[in-house]
Amino acid sequence: MREVLMVYLGGVILLLMVSTMIDGEEGVSLDHILIAGFGWPILTPILALRAWSNR
């Protein structure tokens, strides 16, 4: 479980680091960044199962 948490936090930190390079003109707000940062572990398996079941 410790490894999963470390991967999750590493992904969130990486996403937040990349988000600092986004200009304000691109229309990406902090809300979108936080949703992407904390939602990817939940949404990725759901999207993978949907893609697998639609094959």
Side-chain angles (χ1 to χ4, degrees):
M1 185 67 179
R2 181 179 290 174
E3 293 84 11
V4 173
L5 183 62
M6 293 302 290
V7 169
Y8 172 70
L9 290 177
V12 170
I13 291 169
L14 180 66
L15 184 69
L16 290 174
M17 286 174 35
V18 169
S19 70
T20 60
M21 295 184 260
I22 297 174
D23 294 334
E25 303 151 355
E26 296 187 31
V28 179
S29 66
L30 183 62
D31 302 359
H32 296 106
I33 294 167
L34 291 176
I35 290 169
F38 293 105
W40 68 266
I42 298 167
L43 294 177
T44 302
I46 292 171
L47 293 174
L49 286 173
R50 279 184 154 180
W52 185 263
S53 64
N54 288 336
R55 289 182 64 186

